[in-house]
PDB file of all heavy atoms in Angstrom:
ATOM      1  N   GLY A  81       4.893  -5.230 -11.525  1.00  0.00           N
ATOM      2  CA  GLY A  81       4.912  -6.592 -11.008  1.00  0.00           C
ATOM      3  C   GLY A  81       5.338  -6.696  -9.556  1.00  0.00           C
ATOM      4  O   GLY A  81       5.492  -7.787  -9.030  1.00  0.00           O
ATOM      5  N   VAL A  82       5.567  -5.569  -8.922  1.00  0.00           N
ATOM      6  CA  VAL A  82       5.958  -5.522  -7.509  1.00  0.00           C
ATOM      7  C   VAL A  82       5.122  -4.448  -6.817  1.00  0.00           C
ATOM      8  O   VAL A  82       4.579  -3.561  -7.478  1.00  0.00           O
ATOM      9  CB  VAL A  82       7.461  -5.200  -7.338  1.00  0.00           C
ATOM     10  CG1 VAL A  82       8.330  -6.310  -7.923  1.00  0.00           C
ATOM     11  CG2 VAL A  82       7.814  -3.863  -7.962  1.00  0.00           C
ATOM     12  N   PRO A  83       5.029  -4.510  -5.493  1.00  0.00           N
ATOM     13  CA  PRO A  83       4.336  -3.423  -4.786  1.00  0.00           C
ATOM     14  C   PRO A  83       4.992  -2.082  -5.097  1.00  0.00           C
ATOM     15  O   PRO A  83       6.218  -1.994  -5.218  1.00  0.00           O
ATOM     16  CB  PRO A  83       4.502  -3.792  -3.317  1.00  0.00           C
ATOM     17  CG  PRO A  83       4.728  -5.276  -3.323  1.00  0.00           C
ATOM     18  CD  PRO A  83       5.491  -5.550  -4.586  1.00  0.00           C
ATOM     19  N   VAL A  84       4.177  -1.054  -5.241  1.00  0.00           N
ATOM     20  CA  VAL A  84       4.653   0.274  -5.601  1.00  0.00           C
ATOM     21  C   VAL A  84       4.129   1.281  -4.590  1.00  0.00           C
ATOM     22  O   VAL A  84       2.949   1.232  -4.221  1.00  0.00           O
ATOM     23  CB  VAL A  84       4.169   0.660  -7.022  1.00  0.00           C
ATOM     24  CG1 VAL A  84       4.504   2.096  -7.358  1.00  0.00           C
ATOM     25  CG2 VAL A  84       4.760  -0.277  -8.058  1.00  0.00           C
ATOM     26  N   ARG A  85       4.984   2.183  -4.133  1.00  0.00           N
ATOM     27  CA  ARG A  85       4.563   3.259  -3.250  1.00  0.00           C
ATOM     28  C   ARG A  85       3.771   4.283  -4.061  1.00  0.00           C
ATOM     29  O   ARG A  85       4.151   4.643  -5.175  1.00  0.00           O
ATOM     30  CB  ARG A  85       5.769   3.959  -2.629  1.00  0.00           C
ATOM     31  CG  ARG A  85       6.517   3.152  -1.593  1.00  0.00           C
ATOM     32  CD  ARG A  85       5.868   3.109  -0.225  1.00  0.00           C
ATOM     33  NE  ARG A  85       5.838   4.374   0.449  1.00  0.00           N
ATOM     34  CZ  ARG A  85       6.792   4.828   1.263  1.00  0.00           C
ATOM     35  NH1 ARG A  85       7.863   4.097   1.493  1.00  0.00           N
ATOM     36  NH2 ARG A  85       6.668   6.002   1.837  1.00  0.00           N
ATOM     37  N   ALA A  86       2.685   4.741  -3.504  1.00  0.00           N
ATOM     38  CA  ALA A  86       1.852   5.779  -4.124  1.00  0.00           C
ATOM     39  C   ALA A  86       2.328   7.137  -3.612  1.00  0.00           C
ATOM     40  O   ALA A  86       1.660   7.793  -2.805  1.00  0.00           O
ATOM     41  CB  ALA A  86       0.384   5.539  -3.807  1.00  0.00           C
ATOM     42  N   THR A  87       3.491   7.556  -4.088  1.00  0.00           N
ATOM     43  CA  THR A  87       4.117   8.778  -3.572  1.00  0.00           C
ATOM     44  C   THR A  87       3.290  10.024  -3.862  1.00  0.00           C
ATOM     45  O   THR A  87       3.287  10.949  -3.048  1.00  0.00           O
ATOM     46  CB  THR A  87       5.550   8.936  -4.118  1.00  0.00           C
ATOM     47  OG1 THR A  87       5.506   8.872  -5.546  1.00  0.00           O
ATOM     48  CG2 THR A  87       6.462   7.841  -3.586  1.00  0.00           C
ATOM     49  N   ALA A  88       2.599  10.060  -4.992  1.00  0.00           N
ATOM     50  CA  ALA A  88       1.758  11.229  -5.288  1.00  0.00           C
ATOM     51  C   ALA A  88       0.660  11.361  -4.242  1.00  0.00           C
ATOM     52  O   ALA A  88       0.364  12.468  -3.768  1.00  0.00           O
ATOM     53  CB  ALA A  88       1.157  11.109  -6.687  1.00  0.00           C
ATOM     54  N   ALA A  89       0.071  10.249  -3.835  1.00  0.00           N
ATOM     55  CA  ALA A  89      -0.969  10.266  -2.802  1.00  0.00           C
ATOM     56  C   ALA A  89      -0.373  10.662  -1.452  1.00  0.00           C
ATOM     57  O   ALA A  89      -0.981  11.432  -0.697  1.00  0.00           O
ATOM     58  CB  ALA A  89      -1.640   8.902  -2.716  1.00  0.00           C
ATOM     59  N   GLU A  90       0.812  10.149  -1.151  1.00  0.00           N
ATOM     60  CA  GLU A  90       1.475  10.501   0.114  1.00  0.00           C
ATOM     61  C   GLU A  90       1.739  11.996   0.191  1.00  0.00           C
ATOM     62  O   GLU A  90       1.517  12.619   1.234  1.00  0.00           O
ATOM     63  CB  GLU A  90       2.795   9.731   0.243  1.00  0.00           C
ATOM     64  CG  GLU A  90       2.625   8.236   0.400  1.00  0.00           C
ATOM     65  CD  GLU A  90       3.925   7.459   0.327  1.00  0.00           C
ATOM     66  OE1 GLU A  90       5.002   8.061   0.072  1.00  0.00           O
ATOM     67  OE2 GLU A  90       3.874   6.234   0.520  1.00  0.00           O
ATOM     68  N   GLN A  91       2.185  12.589  -0.915  1.00  0.00           N
ATOM     69  CA  GLN A  91       2.485  14.019  -0.932  1.00  0.00           C
ATOM     70  C   GLN A  91       1.232  14.865  -0.742  1.00  0.00           C
ATOM     71  O   GLN A  91       1.281  15.930  -0.124  1.00  0.00           O
ATOM     72  CB  GLN A  91       3.189  14.395  -2.231  1.00  0.00           C
ATOM     73  CG  GLN A  91       4.588  13.821  -2.320  1.00  0.00           C
ATOM     74  CD  GLN A  91       5.203  13.946  -3.703  1.00  0.00           C
ATOM     75  OE1 GLN A  91       4.599  14.448  -4.626  1.00  0.00           O
ATOM     76  NE2 GLN A  91       6.432  13.461  -3.843  1.00  0.00           N
ATOM     77  N   ILE A  92       0.108  14.398  -1.238  1.00  0.00           N
ATOM     78  CA  ILE A  92      -1.151  15.145  -1.106  1.00  0.00           C
ATOM     79  C   ILE A  92      -1.564  15.276   0.352  1.00  0.00           C
ATOM     80  O   ILE A  92      -2.040  16.330   0.780  1.00  0.00           O
ATOM     81  CB  ILE A  92      -2.266  14.489  -1.948  1.00  0.00           C
ATOM     82  CG1 ILE A  92      -2.009  14.764  -3.430  1.00  0.00           C
ATOM     83  CG2 ILE A  92      -3.657  14.968  -1.535  1.00  0.00           C
ATOM     84  CD1 ILE A  92      -2.882  13.976  -4.379  1.00  0.00           C
ATOM     85  N   VAL A  93      -1.378  14.221   1.151  1.00  0.00           N
ATOM     86  CA  VAL A  93      -1.865  14.243   2.533  1.00  0.00           C
ATOM     87  C   VAL A  93      -0.822  14.694   3.552  1.00  0.00           C
ATOM     88  O   VAL A  93      -1.186  15.091   4.659  1.00  0.00           O
ATOM     89  CB  VAL A  93      -2.452  12.875   2.953  1.00  0.00           C
ATOM     90  CG1 VAL A  93      -3.585  12.479   2.042  1.00  0.00           C
ATOM     91  CG2 VAL A  93      -1.402  11.800   3.001  1.00  0.00           C
ATOM     92  N   ALA A  94       0.449  14.664   3.211  1.00  0.00           N
ATOM     93  CA  ALA A  94       1.509  14.981   4.164  1.00  0.00           C
ATOM     94  C   ALA A  94       1.312  16.378   4.756  1.00  0.00           C
ATOM     95  O   ALA A  94       1.151  17.357   4.038  1.00  0.00           O
ATOM     96  CB  ALA A  94       2.874  14.882   3.491  1.00  0.00           C
ATOM     97  N   GLY A  95       1.287  16.432   6.091  1.00  0.00           N
ATOM     98  CA  GLY A  95       1.190  17.705   6.802  1.00  0.00           C
ATOM     99  C   GLY A  95      -0.200  18.300   6.876  1.00  0.00           C
ATOM    100  O   GLY A  95      -0.382  19.369   7.455  1.00  0.00           O
ATOM    101  N   LYS A  96      -1.189  17.622   6.306  1.00  0.00           N
ATOM    102  CA  LYS A  96      -2.548  18.185   6.273  1.00  0.00           C
ATOM    103  C   LYS A  96      -3.466  17.452   7.243  1.00  0.00           C
ATOM    104  O   LYS A  96      -3.235  16.303   7.586  1.00  0.00           O
ATOM    105  CB  LYS A  96      -3.109  18.116   4.860  1.00  0.00           C
ATOM    106  CG  LYS A  96      -2.319  18.949   3.877  1.00  0.00           C
ATOM    107  CD  LYS A  96      -2.928  18.900   2.513  1.00  0.00           C
ATOM    108  CE  LYS A  96      -2.060  19.730   1.564  1.00  0.00           C
ATOM    109  NZ  LYS A  96      -1.988  19.150   0.259  1.00  0.00           N
ATOM    110  N   ARG A  97      -4.540  18.134   7.641  1.00  0.00           N
ATOM    111  CA  ARG A  97      -5.581  17.502   8.453  1.00  0.00           C
ATOM    112  C   ARG A  97      -6.495  16.720   7.520  1.00  0.00           C
ATOM    113  O   ARG A  97      -6.952  17.236   6.512  1.00  0.00           O
ATOM    114  CB  ARG A  97      -6.368  18.553   9.226  1.00  0.00           C
ATOM    115  CG  ARG A  97      -5.535  19.199  10.331  1.00  0.00           C
ATOM    116  CD  ARG A  97      -6.330  20.230  11.104  1.00  0.00           C
ATOM    117  NE  ARG A  97      -7.492  19.666  11.761  1.00  0.00           N
ATOM    118  CZ  ARG A  97      -7.510  19.128  12.973  1.00  0.00           C
ATOM    119  NH1 ARG A  97      -6.390  19.074  13.664  1.00  0.00           N
ATOM    120  NH2 ARG A  97      -8.615  18.642  13.489  1.00  0.00           N
ATOM    121  N   MET A  98      -6.745  15.475   7.864  1.00  0.00           N
ATOM    122  CA  MET A  98      -7.506  14.585   6.990  1.00  0.00           C
ATOM    123  C   MET A  98      -9.007  14.835   7.086  1.00  0.00           C
ATOM    124  O   MET A  98      -9.538  15.052   8.161  1.00  0.00           O
ATOM    125  CB  MET A  98      -7.222  13.124   7.349  1.00  0.00           C
ATOM    126  CG  MET A  98      -5.795  12.682   7.095  1.00  0.00           C
ATOM    127  SD  MET A  98      -5.293  12.797   5.379  1.00  0.00           S
ATOM    128  CE  MET A  98      -6.387  11.630   4.635  1.00  0.00           C
ATOM    129  N   ASP A  99      -9.642  14.803   5.917  1.00  0.00           N
ATOM    130  CA  ASP A  99     -11.101  14.797   5.830  1.00  0.00           C
ATOM    131  C   ASP A  99     -11.464  13.958   4.606  1.00  0.00           C
ATOM    132  O   ASP A  99     -10.591  13.486   3.877  1.00  0.00           O
ATOM    133  CB  ASP A  99     -11.679  16.212   5.761  1.00  0.00           C
ATOM    134  CG  ASP A  99     -11.196  17.012   4.548  1.00  0.00           C
ATOM    135  OD1 ASP A  99     -10.784  16.414   3.528  1.00  0.00           O
ATOM    136  OD2 ASP A  99     -11.242  18.252   4.609  1.00  0.00           O
ATOM    137  N   ALA A 100     -12.754  13.750   4.395  1.00  0.00           N
ATOM    138  CA  ALA A 100     -13.207  12.874   3.308  1.00  0.00           C
ATOM    139  C   ALA A 100     -12.729  13.352   1.944  1.00  0.00           C
ATOM    140  O   ALA A 100     -12.356  12.540   1.094  1.00  0.00           O
ATOM    141  CB  ALA A 100     -14.728  12.748   3.336  1.00  0.00           C
ATOM    142  N   ALA A 101     -12.723  14.657   1.724  1.00  0.00           N
ATOM    143  CA  ALA A 101     -12.299  15.198   0.428  1.00  0.00           C
ATOM    144  C   ALA A 101     -10.819  14.926   0.176  1.00  0.00           C
ATOM    145  O   ALA A 101     -10.425  14.586  -0.943  1.00  0.00           O
ATOM    146  CB  ALA A 101     -12.588  16.697   0.354  1.00  0.00           C
ATOM    147  N   LEU A 102      -9.993  15.044   1.220  1.00  0.00           N
ATOM    148  CA  LEU A 102      -8.561  14.803   1.059  1.00  0.00           C
ATOM    149  C   LEU A 102      -8.284  13.313   0.834  1.00  0.00           C
ATOM    150  O   LEU A 102      -7.433  12.951   0.018  1.00  0.00           O
ATOM    151  CB  LEU A 102      -7.801  15.315   2.282  1.00  0.00           C
ATOM    152  CG  LEU A 102      -6.297  15.462   2.131  1.00  0.00           C
ATOM    153  CD1 LEU A 102      -5.927  16.394   0.979  1.00  0.00           C
ATOM    154  CD2 LEU A 102      -5.688  15.974   3.428  1.00  0.00           C
ATOM    155  N   VAL A 103      -9.019  12.444   1.523  1.00  0.00           N
ATOM    156  CA  VAL A 103      -8.890  11.001   1.300  1.00  0.00           C
ATOM    157  C   VAL A 103      -9.217  10.679  -0.156  1.00  0.00           C
ATOM    158  O   VAL A 103      -8.493   9.955  -0.829  1.00  0.00           O
ATOM    159  CB  VAL A 103      -9.806  10.198   2.257  1.00  0.00           C
ATOM    160  CG1 VAL A 103      -9.897   8.740   1.824  1.00  0.00           C
ATOM    161  CG2 VAL A 103      -9.302  10.295   3.681  1.00  0.00           C
ATOM    162  N   SER A 104     -10.298  11.243  -0.658  1.00  0.00           N
ATOM    163  CA  SER A 104     -10.719  11.004  -2.043  1.00  0.00           C
ATOM    164  C   SER A 104      -9.674  11.510  -3.038  1.00  0.00           C
ATOM    165  O   SER A 104      -9.346  10.833  -4.014  1.00  0.00           O
ATOM    166  CB  SER A 104     -12.068  11.672  -2.283  1.00  0.00           C
ATOM    167  OG  SER A 104     -12.490  11.461  -3.599  1.00  0.00           O
ATOM    168  N   GLU A 105      -9.130  12.691  -2.792  1.00  0.00           N
ATOM    169  CA  GLU A 105      -8.117  13.268  -3.682  1.00  0.00           C
ATOM    170  C   GLU A 105      -6.862  12.393  -3.720  1.00  0.00           C
ATOM    171  O   GLU A 105      -6.312  12.123  -4.794  1.00  0.00           O
ATOM    172  CB  GLU A 105      -7.761  14.679  -3.212  1.00  0.00           C
ATOM    173  CG  GLU A 105      -6.741  15.382  -4.084  1.00  0.00           C
ATOM    174  CD  GLU A 105      -6.340  16.752  -3.556  1.00  0.00           C
ATOM    175  OE1 GLU A 105      -6.994  17.274  -2.630  1.00  0.00           O
ATOM    176  OE2 GLU A 105      -5.351  17.295  -4.085  1.00  0.00           O
ATOM    177  N   ALA A 106      -6.426  11.942  -2.550  1.00  0.00           N
ATOM    178  CA  ALA A 106      -5.231  11.096  -2.489  1.00  0.00           C
ATOM    179  C   ALA A 106      -5.486   9.751  -3.173  1.00  0.00           C
ATOM    180  O   ALA A 106      -4.629   9.240  -3.900  1.00  0.00           O
ATOM    181  CB  ALA A 106      -4.818  10.885  -1.032  1.00  0.00           C
ATOM    182  N   ALA A 107      -6.666   9.177  -2.957  1.00  0.00           N
ATOM    183  CA  ALA A 107      -7.001   7.892  -3.579  1.00  0.00           C
ATOM    184  C   ALA A 107      -7.011   8.019  -5.100  1.00  0.00           C
ATOM    185  O   ALA A 107      -6.524   7.126  -5.800  1.00  0.00           O
ATOM    186  CB  ALA A 107      -8.351   7.396  -3.071  1.00  0.00           C
ATOM    187  N   LYS A 108      -7.532   9.119  -5.610  1.00  0.00           N
ATOM    188  CA  LYS A 108      -7.523   9.331  -7.068  1.00  0.00           C
ATOM    189  C   LYS A 108      -6.098   9.428  -7.591  1.00  0.00           C
ATOM    190  O   LYS A 108      -5.794   8.905  -8.665  1.00  0.00           O
ATOM    191  CB  LYS A 108      -8.328  10.573  -7.423  1.00  0.00           C
ATOM    192  CG  LYS A 108      -9.810  10.337  -7.343  1.00  0.00           C
ATOM    193  CD  LYS A 108     -10.606  11.555  -7.769  1.00  0.00           C
ATOM    194  CE  LYS A 108     -12.074  11.220  -7.642  1.00  0.00           C
ATOM    195  NZ  LYS A 108     -12.851  12.224  -6.975  1.00  0.00           N
ATOM    196  N   ALA A 109      -5.219  10.074  -6.840  1.00  0.00           N
ATOM    197  CA  ALA A 109      -3.816  10.176  -7.256  1.00  0.00           C
ATOM    198  C   ALA A 109      -3.169   8.789  -7.285  1.00  0.00           C
ATOM    199  O   ALA A 109      -2.383   8.487  -8.175  1.00  0.00           O
ATOM    200  CB  ALA A 109      -3.050  11.103  -6.320  1.00  0.00           C
ATOM    201  N   ALA A 110      -3.501   7.944  -6.326  1.00  0.00           N
ATOM    202  CA  ALA A 110      -2.956   6.577  -6.311  1.00  0.00           C
ATOM    203  C   ALA A 110      -3.467   5.784  -7.499  1.00  0.00           C
ATOM    204  O   ALA A 110      -2.765   4.910  -8.017  1.00  0.00           O
ATOM    205  CB  ALA A 110      -3.333   5.869  -5.007  1.00  0.00           C
ATOM    206  N   GLY A 111      -4.675   6.085  -7.964  1.00  0.00           N
ATOM    207  CA  GLY A 111      -5.266   5.381  -9.100  1.00  0.00           C
ATOM    208  C   GLY A 111      -4.562   5.632 -10.413  1.00  0.00           C
ATOM    209  O   GLY A 111      -4.878   4.990 -11.419  1.00  0.00           O
TER     210      GLY A 111
END
Side-chain angles (χ1 to χ4, degrees):
V82 296
V84 173
R85 289 282 294 270
T87 54
E90 293 172 356
Q91 291 169 359
I92 287 170
V93 302
K96 297 182 182 144
R97 290 181 61 88
M98 295 299 296
D99 60 23
L102 195 58
V103 168
S104 180
E105 181 183 349
K108 284 183 180 133

